[in-house]
Amino acid sequence: MRRGLIDAILGGNVVKKRVALPGRGKSGGSRTIVATNLGDRWFFIYGFEKNVRANITDKELEALQLLASDLLNLTDNELDISVIQKKLLEICHDH
């Protein structure tokens, strides 16, 4: 995603990415919703399988955009504290 492989920019710092599942490919796979500044901050905030639901609702998108704003406005210190308190889980994967 950091290289621009995003399926939809939903606005309000929220993006969607299709993820292939074994034996089902991308179209039958899952969707991930990520809060991001498209730079150094990426937060997985929601996921769903395409065969369970087609998309998120407008109301859900509004809530996810508010969450994205809150997450992206956290300072580095606030992020560290949230990880220590297990409110957030940091996943590091550099490629």
Side-chain angles (χ1 to χ4, degrees):
M1 290 180 75
R2 205 182 310 184
R3 293 180 294 208
L5 301 175
I6 295 169
D7 293 305
I9 296 175
L10 304 177
N13 295 103
V14 176
V15 299
K16 179 168 64 172
K17 175 73 177 153
R18 294 182 302 169
V19 178
L21 294 176
R24 298 199 309 202
K26 278 189 180 181
S27 63
S30 62
R31 306 297 183 259
T32 59
I33 307 294
V34 175
T36 181
N37 63 3
L38 298 176
D40 63 341
R41 299 267 174 112
W42 298 81
F43 298 92
F44 170 82
I45 53 176
Y46 187 64
F48 59 96
E49 288 192 35
K50 182 72 172 162
N51 66 343
V52 173
R53 65 183 303 176
N55 212 337
I56 58 174
T57 66
D58 290 342
K59 188 171 184 172
E60 289 170 325
L61 176 57
E62 286 179 34
L64 293 170
Q65 288 169 333
L66 289 172
L67 175 59
S69 178
D70 288 345
L71 290 168
L72 293 169
N73 283 313
L74 292 173
T75 66
D76 288 342
N77 188 50
E78 290 169 327
L79 281 173
D80 290 341
I81 291 169
S82 293
V83 170
I84 290 167
Q85 294 176 341
K86 300 187 185 284
K87 293 179 180 178
L88 292 175
L89 173 65
E90 182 178 16
I91 301 170
C92 298
H93 185 71
D94 295 324
H95 272 6

